Amino acid sequence: KQEVTQIPAALSVPEGENLVLNCSFTDSAIYNLQWFRQDPGKGLTSLLLIQSSQREQTSGRLNASLDKSSGRSTLYIAASQPGDSATYLCAGDSWGKLQFGAGTQVVVTP
Amino acid sequence: DAGVIQSPRHEVTEMGQEVTLRCKPISGHDYLFWYRQTMMRGLELLIYFNNNVPIDDSGMPEDRFSAKMPNASFSTLKIQPSEPRDSAVYFCASKPQGADTQYFGPGTRLTVL
């Protein structure tokens, strides 16, 4: 069974700093790796999706990398803003089913 | 276009009562997923449907839980009888055939006293 771990569990940075969020997974036979954002009291919003054949994906200030051989993915958020405060979850897609990590709670202070 | 719609948004009930959660997926989406999120276990997949047919219900915790999808625009998750340990946020998500990205609803926060 796929196990997904996210480190750190929580992170607080001043505005303007770059954020680095880590995700590790045990089963390298994933179809894709997805990053989501969750705001308090709301559902999940998809941020980036990396297919198993890809090494990275970029969207604006967000960049996600994938290393299947080591079972790791990293989400980089450049020049953080207070609006980036949220919980970020990664999920491995195996056979159409998403296995989620516990998330990293991010606080960006003005 | 409206996203995934869930009702109610909050539900408080007493132990032993029946609870029914509702979900309307995005129009045209062929897949529908039910998830549960708790502090202890995180976000877990309970069951998913393809074209209204249940494909995998291995995540359903026990027989007290049941899910149906009578048509392409409506699904229910029922708990009978409910127990305090069922307290959680329940999410519904949908996606189109051939796509990988799921679209999540706002969730239903269930509290069982």
Side-chain angles (χ1 to χ4, degrees), chain B residues 5-83:
Chain B
I5 299 172
Q6 292 188 246
S7 64
R9 293 294 312 278
H10 302 273
E11 177 81 32
V12 180
T13 190
E14 293 188 347
M15 183 174 63
Q17 296 298 307
E18 177 179 297
V19 175
T20 299
L21 311 181
R22 297 172 176 80
C23 174
K24 177 179 170 56
I26 294 173
S27 177
H29 284 196
D30 303 290
Y31 286 85
L32 184 140
F33 304 81
W34 281 102
Y35 293 89
R36 177 173 68 175
Q37 186 174 40
T38 62
M39 289 295 292
M40 289 295 295
R41 300 176 64 89
L43 194 62
E44 343 170 65
L45 176 66
L46 300 177
I47 184 171
Y48 77 93
F49 296 82
N50 181 213
N51 291 323
N52 313 336
V53 176
I55 302 301
D56 188 331
D57 65 355
S58 59
M60 295 287 261
E62 48 197 278
D63 292 346
R64 298 184 297 107
F65 286 69
S66 62
K68 294 183 179 180
M69 192 164 185
N71 57 62
S73 59
F74 183 66
S75 177
T76 60
L77 178 67
K78 186 176 294 186
I79 309 172
Q80 165 65 16
S82 58
E83 296 182 3

Side-chain angles (χ1 to χ4, degrees), chain A residues 87-109:
Chain A
T87 298
Y88 293 83
L89 297 96
C90 68
D93 185 340
S94 300
W95 300 100
K97 296 166 61 173
L98 293 180
Q99 186 68 39
F100 284 86
T104 295
Q105 186 174 17
V106 171
V107 175
V108 181
T109 56

